[in-house]
Amino acid sequence: MKIKIIQFIPAVLALLAIGFLNFSQWCIVAGHVCFRTFLDRIFIYVISPLYFFSIYFLPIAIVLAFVPREIFKSWLKFAVWAIPLAIIFIASTPVIDTSLLPFSRDDAARLAGQVFSAASLLLILWKYFSPRR
């Protein structure tokens, strides 16, 4: 039972990231306590891209809660190097791009989330159907 609970951790983290955006928006807009604080300063740099990445990661995280343990371990090996690469890609993108074809940090987070989710889904499906041949 303890082993299955560990597989719910990615879903919990994704839901916490999504909830953190809602809390941050409420705190900045409605609450005068958070106005001009650290939370207000990092909103556009960290919180918004984290939300967009989490939105695309949440369906994969829910699927990971119900797959066999071996598939979860193989996905975890993939995630150990893919998530830091996604973070580096997102962090190296400008927050606001004013060029002719703008590509902001939010767009980079969406793209990284989509690529990571698609690669994760392909890995899960490949590992799920390969031993059954």
Side-chain angles (χ1 to χ4, degrees), residues 42-80:
I42 68 166
F43 184 80
I44 196 167
Y45 301 106
V46 177
I47 299 170
S48 182
L50 178 67
Y51 169 76
F52 288 122
F53 186 84
S54 297
I55 285 292
Y56 289 104
F57 175 63
L58 184 61
I60 298 301
I62 292 171
V63 168
L64 284 171
F66 300 106
V67 297
R69 183 71 176 169
E70 298 81 31
I71 296 174
F72 180 76
K73 285 181 182 179
S74 64
W75 174 83
L76 198 57
K77 290 178 186 176
F78 166 71
V80 163

Side-chain angles (χ1 to χ4, degrees), residues 77-99:
K77 290 178 186 176
F78 166 71
V80 163
W81 62 268
I83 290 179
L85 283 177
I87 290 171
I88 291 170
F89 172 66
I90 294 168
S92 65
T93 307
V95 176
I96 299 171
D97 190 8
T98 58
S99 64

